[in-house]
């Protein structure tokens, strides 16, 4: 029983420490300045010119998007695109004899400067590829061939290239960014990789608050089980202690009775 109490005490301590760590992370995120409108960044930078951590939301926009789509499409173009292609080619020797066949895999990345805008202003996003969650914002655009199609291209190769998978970040995509607000050499508002916090990008407007709420919920979960394990461990220790005291008192009483009987 005492061994079980020891294990429960260790579990309670581990849950408490882990819950405190998660709570500290949530509190750290809560301390970051939330920017309701991008136009407010100018005033915030006047108050704190450096190391200004902010959370802001807006839509992806660019002056030079590519892969532009028709006007009736909700997204007018891409600001980032990555394509993984499989290319097959055949070459003959100079004398027209031996044929060389080869499969090549190519990774093509296209990107253009882009910014976040919310109707009140815009802010340039610098080195977004370094941010945690950047790839996750492009998951809905993945268009991957099935494994059977890939093997079929090996068995029955066709001249040319075929896109195996593609991901892209479209203009108009709603994002929430956690980063350091600053001005570049030209005086343009920008958000970049901070020195004191992780650079993060989330899909949608309320995703950051949802993440913080989940962290708080997880910390409360661990605190709850820490209390449960600690209470059970304490109850076991109390129960064993009381049982031990009763046994000692009973043995002493029995010894005293036997001594009295032996005394003439």
């Amino acid at each position: 029983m005492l061994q079980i109490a020891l294990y429960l005490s260790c579990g309670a301590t581990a849950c408490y420490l882990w819950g405190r760590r998660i709570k500290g992370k949530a509190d750290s995120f809560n301390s970051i300045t939330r920017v309701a409108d991008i136009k407010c960044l100018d005033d915030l930078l006047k108050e704190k010119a450096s190391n200004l951590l902010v959370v802001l939301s807006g839509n992806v926009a660019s002056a030079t998007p590519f892969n532009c789509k028709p006007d009736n499409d909700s997204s007018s173009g891409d600001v980032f695109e990555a394509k993984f292609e499989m290319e097959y080619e055949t070459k003959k020797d100079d004398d027209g004899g031996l044929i060389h066949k080869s499969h090549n895999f190519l990774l093509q990345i296209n990107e253009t400067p882009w910014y976040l805008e919310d109707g009140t202003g815009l802010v340039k996003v610098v080195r977004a590829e370094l941010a945690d969650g950047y790839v996750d914002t492009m998951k809905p655009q993945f268009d991957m061939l099935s494994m059977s199609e890939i093997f079929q291209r090996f068995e029955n190769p066709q001249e040319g290239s075929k896109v195996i998978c593609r991901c892209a970040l479209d203009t108009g995509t709603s994002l929430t960014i956690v980063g350091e607000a600053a001005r570049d050499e030209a005086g343009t508002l920008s958000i970049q990789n901070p020195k004191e916090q992780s650079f993060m990008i989330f899909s949608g407007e309320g995703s950051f608050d949802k993440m913080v709420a989940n962290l708080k919920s997880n910390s409360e979960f661990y605190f709850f089980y820490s209390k449960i394990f600690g209470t059970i461990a304490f109850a076991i220790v109390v129960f064993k202690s009381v049982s031990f005291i009763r046994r000692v008192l009973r043995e002493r009483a029995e010894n005293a009775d036997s001594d009295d009987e032996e005394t003439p």
Side-chain angles (χ1 to χ4, degrees), residues 83-101:
K83 291 191 297 184
F84 188 56
E85 299 180 353
M86 182 173 64
E87 183 182 54
Y88 176 78
E89 61 178 350
T90 58
K91 292 182 179 179
K92 292 185 178 181
D93 287 342
D94 295 337
D95 58 1
L98 186 61
I99 298 177
H100 297 279
K101 301 178 181 181

Side-chain angles (χ1 to χ4, degrees), residues 22-174:
I22 296 175
K23 185 177 184 299
K25 196 172 183 180
D27 292 339
S28 176
F29 286 145
N30 269 332
S31 66
I32 300 175
T33 304
R34 283 169 169 74
V35 179
D37 299 318
I38 293 179
K39 67 178 181 180
C40 299
L41 272 181
D42 192 30
D43 295 332
L44 290 173
L45 283 171
K46 290 177 181 177
E47 298 175 4
K48 187 177 182 180
S50 62
N51 298 329
L52 176 61
L53 290 174
V54 296
V55 179
L56 52 85
S57 301
N59 297 323
V60 175
S62 176
T64 56
F66 52 89
N67 292 341
C68 293
K69 303 175 180 64
D71 294 338
N72 59 356
D73 199 301
S74 59
S75 56
S76 60
D78 300 328
V79 297
F80 178 89
E81 180 189 50
K83 291 191 297 184
F84 188 56
E85 299 180 353
M86 182 173 64
E87 183 182 54
Y88 176 78
E89 61 178 350
T90 58
K91 292 182 179 179
K92 292 185 178 181
D93 287 342
D94 295 337
D95 58 1
L98 186 61
I99 298 177
H100 297 279
K101 301 178 181 181
S102 63
H103 284 90
N104 300 317
F105 292 93
L106 306 173
L107 176 63
Q108 295 184 358
I109 296 178
N110 298 319
E111 56 184 330
T112 187
W114 59 280
Y115 51 86
L116 214 61
E117 60 90 17
D118 64 353
T120 67
L122 56 89
V123 57
K124 183 180 178 181
V125 182
V126 181
R127 302 296 302 275
E129 67 274 9
L130 299 177
D132 297 337
Y134 181 62
V135 175
D136 295 337
T137 63
M138 296 180 284
K139 276 186 176 178
Q141 285 82 35
F142 273 101
D143 183 19
M144 185 173 289
L145 291 176
S146 64
M147 292 302 296
S148 60
E149 290 176 299
I150 296 175
F151 285 125
Q152 186 176 1
R153 285 193 61 83
F154 273 105
E155 295 174 357
N156 302 306
Q158 299 176 359
E159 194 76 20
S161 62
K162 178 69 175 179
V163 176
I164 297 178
C165 62
R166 172 187 178 274
C167 62
L169 179 60
D170 297 335
T171 55
T173 304
S174 177

